[in-house]
Amino acid sequence: MRLLALLAAALLLTLCVPASTTLVPDPAFRQQQLRFPRVRAAYGLHQTSLHTLLRRHGIRPERLELFVRAFKLGRRVEVWGREQETGQFVLLRTYRLAGTSGTLGPKRRSGDGQVPEGFYSINRFNPDSEYHLSLGLDYPNAADLQHATPNPGGDIFIHGSNVTIGCLPITDACIRELYVLAVEARAAGQASIPVHIFPFEMTAENLARRVGSPHAAFWQGLTAGYQYFEDNHQLLVTGEVVKL
């Protein structure tokens, strides 16, 4: 059984985690975003303090690489950063989820109210969102499509406000900070910002408490990515050998 679980975990990571790519700076992206009033306001409020935060952790803003991790239980979104492709990620900010919907378990169909679980990336920046500012995730990804219904839904965002039906709201004040960090990482050349969403900390104890859940096998498939980051503060990438 353990061998099957490890094979499932490896398959899920292969489907979901993008391979490392060369980062090419794109300062024009920042300039394009700054055309929007809400982004300009966010930069005016937070650029100086966030640059100070990054430098305090030894990260040059022009070399920023981001990683975002969210937990349903505990209701938090963690923002990690490092110098591009060097060393370990360090925790920069933790934001409380201002609202939740659905239950523990993955999203499988449109309208189920579920927040997805798994390995995603930010693929859209919305500077004029209905929820102030928002960052879109690439749900459904390849792994989701293997298990979802014919209509898996979409439009999953990290956004402002405190309301949600399947998204991750962190209030307007917090999304302003995160949006600036994401724009800075994108301008520094990080075209794909990973976002890992877990139901809870994927420890053996937490999994054992829920061994009877219909999602137990799915959750087991998330453990390799979770544990690798816990052990190394680096991301597991496609093709990398993991010691389990």
Side-chain angles (χ1 to χ4, degrees), residues 44 55 70 92 95 118 175 188-190 203 205 214 229 242:
R55 292 191 179 98
L92 301 175
Y95 302 121
I175 194 60
Q190 188 181 5
T203 63
E205 294 78 10
F229 186 79
V242 186

Side-chain angles (χ1 to χ4, degrees), residues 18-145:
S20 179
T21 57
T22 302
L23 303 177
V24 179
D26 184 13
F29 181 79
R30 181 193 299 110
Q31 294 307 119
Q32 184 271 336
Q33 287 288 312
L34 285 169
R35 291 162 39 201
F36 295 90
R38 293 176 190 174
V39 180
R40 288 199 301 273
Y43 264 81
L45 288 168
H46 298 297
Q47 181 179 23
T48 299
S49 61
L50 289 174
H51 280 197
T52 300
L53 172 68
L54 293 174
R55 292 191 179 98
R56 187 160 67 240
H57 287 287
I59 303 168
R60 292 168 289 172
E62 65 273 16
R63 296 284 296 168
L64 172 62
E65 183 178 353
L66 279 188
F67 164 58
V68 179
R69 186 169 72 161
F71 295 92
K72 291 181 180 180
L73 285 185
R75 295 180 58 151
R76 73 183 189 273
V77 174
E78 300 172 349
V79 183
W80 298 73
R82 69 173 183 177
E83 285 254 329
Q84 290 177 2
E85 301 178 325
T86 59
Q88 296 182 327
F89 283 91
V90 295
L91 183 63
L92 301 175
R93 285 284 194 259
T94 300
Y95 302 121
R96 180 169 173 79
L97 282 173
T100 61
S101 68
T103 60
L104 297 183
K107 183 175 181 63
R108 292 295 185 236
R109 61 179 176 81
S110 177
D112 62 7
Q114 288 291 99
V115 176
E117 295 173 5
F119 306 111
Y120 301 96
S121 62
I122 292 170
N123 66 354
R124 286 165 288 170
F125 288 71
N126 186 351
D128 194 26
S129 170
E130 181 179 352
Y131 302 103
H132 194 58
L133 298 165
S134 61
L135 300 165
L137 306 186
D138 60 345
Y139 172 88
N141 60 25
D144 295 317
L145 293 174

Side-chain angles (χ1 to χ4, degrees), residues 124-204:
R124 286 165 288 170
F125 288 71
N126 186 351
D128 194 26
S129 170
E130 181 179 352
Y131 302 103
H132 194 58
L133 298 165
S134 61
L135 300 165
L137 306 186
D138 60 345
Y139 172 88
N141 60 25
D144 295 317
L145 293 174
Q146 282 200 333
H147 302 285
T149 65
N151 183 10
D155 289 335
I156 302 297
F157 291 86
I158 305 171
H159 61 62
S161 183
N162 62 354
V163 298
T164 181
I165 304 177
C167 293
L168 298 166
I170 58 172
T171 75
D172 291 356
C174 293
I175 194 60
R176 283 193 288 266
E177 274 200 348
L178 179 54
Y179 200 93
V180 170
L181 285 169
V183 170
E184 289 296 280
R186 180 69 180 80
Q190 188 181 5
S192 178
I193 299 173
V195 179
H196 293 184
I197 306 175
F198 298 107
F200 42 77
E201 286 86 353
M202 309 303 292
T203 63

